[in-house]
Amino acid sequence: MPKITVRRFLKYLLLLPFSPLLLLWWLLRMMWRGWCRLVQLCGFKRIDAYILKRFLTTYFFMIVLIITVAIIFDFNEKIDKLTGTGATWKEIVFDYYGNFIPYFSNMFSPLFIFIAVIFFTTNLASNSEIIAMKSTGMSFRRLLIPYFLGALIVAIMSFVLGGWVIPHGNVERLAFENKHVKKRQMVDVAENVQMQVDTGVVAYISFFDNRTKSGSGFILDRLSEKRLVEHLTAETIQYDTLADHKYSWTLYNYRLRKTRGARDFISAGQKMDTTIMMEPKDFFYSYGQQETMTISELDYFIARQRLRGSAGLAQFEVEYHKRFASPFAAFILTLIGVSFSSEKRKGGKGTAIGIGLALTFTYIMFQTVSSSFAINAGWPAMLAVWMPNIVFALIAAWCYKRTPQ
């Protein structure tokens, strides 16, 4: 890689106004050189760079190959719904498939990383490259370092994408699916809503229309030491969407009764602006809503709904723990894949790839079944989500132990 001289830098500087991508390319180039220098200082050798490069290129090649096939099958299956419901090609390409690709790539990342490890390492073993590495004194534990570094890169990328980037794209993807593919009607009306909006504060709304952001039959009770101290009622309630802060409501035809000891103080009026710790979106659960929230939003939403005593939080808790468990699976499946495919077998590549695919689909099926137990059978969400990782971590330890060191 050529050195950056003063002349070359001035040349880049002159070309910068004409090519905005040049600055990005130059920054990426400098970051790559810094990364190479860092790994060299950490004892990273050329053979490690070779393994890491082949591992990551195989991983991304698998993503491109399998996702391309998935898009073809998905489009062929939904072609009538995609083209016959008024969806424009811009919506199909950018709103749907533009968010379809990162969502499913990240969802099946354990599958891609496992197949990549099996495929690449089997090639090394069949070409006797691993035997040559071990003949120089490289142990199996030392061989795992570039694999685990690759797994770390994939895990960090998967964690960041799944935790913050993909949820924003899921908003557009699910909206497109609900409108054009599954044709789900948006639920705009809620009845008999009761929730705890704050400590000791319980709200009740008889009817709420999300289109107008207004409701009727509103009651707000404030409790202190299990005693009712305030009872507020209103004929209608309106959410102020133009307010400078959240939770701003306007009550019409209200009546407030405050209890102080043995005395009651009653007041009434036509209109009152107040702050109540709730929003219209708290009254509605939409399909796939948990997939549109970032990790911080999920954590806040779960804590808030628990305070309110809401039911049906299992799917949100499962999604929250999946954001941490899925990236961790990259290390487990990498260890299993290298252990299985680092030796020559009589069946050649086919046997190793077959075993790898069977284990991968077993992991995905186990993950799906255990998650459904948390949602439908009341299992603790954290246990249900991490159970596949725990079981396969034991399998990985057994594979590592039986592999010649």
Side-chain angles (χ1 to χ4, degrees):
M1 187 174 292
K3 294 182 178 179
I4 303 296
T5 62
V6 175
R7 182 179 178 182
R8 192 181 299 272
F9 178 78
L10 292 175
K11 179 182 176 181
Y12 291 160
L13 192 62
L14 290 173
L15 290 175
L16 183 60
F18 304 99
S19 179
L21 294 177
L22 184 60
L23 178 60
L24 177 62
W25 173 82
W26 184 76
L27 288 174
L28 291 175
R29 184 178 177 182
M30 296 304 296
M31 289 173 62
W32 174 252
R33 293 187 66 182
W35 166 259
C36 293
R37 182 62 179 164
L38 177 63
V39 296
Q40 286 176 1
L41 293 175
C42 296
F44 211 65
K45 301 183 182 300
R46 181 172 295 182
I47 186 63
D48 298 316
Y50 169 74
I51 293 175
L52 178 61
K53 182 179 178 181
R54 291 284 302 275
F55 173 29
L56 293 178
T57 52
T58 306
Y59 169 75
F60 288 110
F61 174 77
M62 289 294 175
I63 290 179
V64 173
L65 180 64
I66 297 177
I67 289 298
T68 301
V69 174
I71 290 175
I72 293 172
F73 277 98
D74 184 78
F75 183 78
N76 186 59
E77 180 186 354
K78 300 174 180 175
I79 186 170
D80 294 334
K81 296 178 180 178
L82 293 176
T83 59
T85 56
T88 64
W89 282 105
K90 181 181 178 182
E91 291 176 329
I92 295 173
V93 173
F94 294 101
D95 293 349
Y96 183 58
Y97 284 112
N99 296 303
F100 174 97
I101 293 172
Y103 173 73
F104 283 96
S105 297
N106 195 60
M107 175 185 289
F108 294 108
S109 181
L111 170 65
F112 299 140
I113 197 170
F114 199 45
I115 294 177
V117 169
I118 292 285
F119 187 81
F120 163 59
T121 311
T122 303
N123 266 338
L124 292 181
S126 62
N127 295 333
S128 300
E129 292 181 74
I130 292 183
I131 295 176
M133 294 176 198
K134 290 186 175 181
S135 66
T136 62
M138 178 182 287
S139 65
F140 180 70
R141 182 180 300 176
R142 177 64 181 80
L143 178 65
L144 288 173
I145 291 178
Y147 282 99
F148 275 172
L149 181 58
L152 177 63
I153 294 172
V154 173
I156 293 174
M157 181 176 64
S158 176
F159 180 70
V160 173
L161 288 174
W164 288 275
V165 179
I166 294 177
H168 295 295
N170 284 339
V171 176
E172 295 180 351
R173 182 181 63 83
L174 289 174
F176 182 91
E177 284 186 349
N178 292 334
K179 181 180 179 181
H180 298 287
V181 179
K182 300 177 181 178
K183 296 182 180 179
R184 287 192 178 94
Q185 297 294 328
M186 296 297 293
V187 179
D188 292 322
V189 173
E191 296 180 348
N192 300 324
V193 177
Q194 181 173 351
M195 63 174 60
Q196 180 171 306
V197 296
D198 202 351
T199 304
V201 181
V202 180
Y204 173 83
I205 300 178
S206 177
F207 177 86
F208 189 85
D209 188 342
N210 195 41
R211 291 166 295 187
T212 60
K213 308 296 182 185
S214 61
S216 60
F218 175 72
I219 301 174
L220 185 72
D221 290 334
R222 187 180 302 275
L223 306 172
S224 177
E225 298 179 354
K226 298 181 180 182
R227 294 179 62 251
L228 182 64
V229 295
E230 287 187 15
H231 180 71
L232 174 64
T233 62
E235 290 185 7
T236 57
I237 183 172
Q238 177 73 49
Y239 184 68
D240 189 354
T241 57
L242 302 178
D244 296 334
H245 58 280
K246 296 195 300 183
Y247 315 126
S248 181
W249 295 85
T250 301
L251 308 182
Y252 296 95
N253 298 324
Y254 69 91
R255 186 173 184 271
L256 175 62
R257 186 184 72 187
K258 295 182 179 181
T259 301
R260 298 293 182 266
R263 301 180 62 184
D264 289 343
F265 299 90
I266 299 176
S267 59
Q270 294 293 322
K271 179 181 176 182
M272 180 174 67
D273 295 325
T274 185
T275 299
I276 305 173
M277 300 296 290
M278 63 182 187
E279 296 178 273
K281 66 180 182 180
D282 297 332
F283 310 149
F284 303 91
Y285 285 146
S286 59
Y287 176 80
Q289 182 180 348
Q290 70 278 7
E291 297 177 356
T292 64
M293 297 181 179
T294 64
I295 289 178
S296 53
E297 290 171 346
L298 272 172
D299 187 30
Y300 177 71
F301 178 84
I302 292 170
R304 219 171 134 198
Q305 296 304 105
R306 280 179 181 165
L307 175 67
R308 294 172 173 174
S310 301
L313 292 178
Q315 58 185 350
F316 294 91
E317 294 173 343
V318 166
E319 181 67 24
Y320 176 78
H321 291 292
K322 271 186 179 180
R323 304 284 175 90
F324 297 93
S326 294
F328 190 79
F331 300 98
I332 299 173
L333 296 178
T334 296
L335 180 56
I336 296 175
V338 179
S339 301
F340 258 109
S341 55
S342 60
E343 301 177 59
K344 280 190 174 181
R345 300 181 182 274
K346 292 182 180 180
K349 297 180 184 178
T351 303
I353 292 175
I355 294 174
L357 287 173
L359 281 172
T360 306
F361 285 113
T362 301
Y363 173 82
I364 293 174
M365 184 181 68
F366 191 6
Q367 191 180 52
T368 303
V369 171
S370 62
S371 297
S372 65
F373 281 154
I375 296 172
N376 301 317
W379 279 28
M382 185 175 181
L383 174 63
V385 172
W386 282 91
M387 181 65 72
N389 282 356
I390 295 172
V391 173
F392 273 76
L394 296 176
I395 296 175
W398 176 78
C399 293
Y400 174 78
K401 187 176 181 181
R402 62 172 293 279
T403 303
Q405 300 296 312

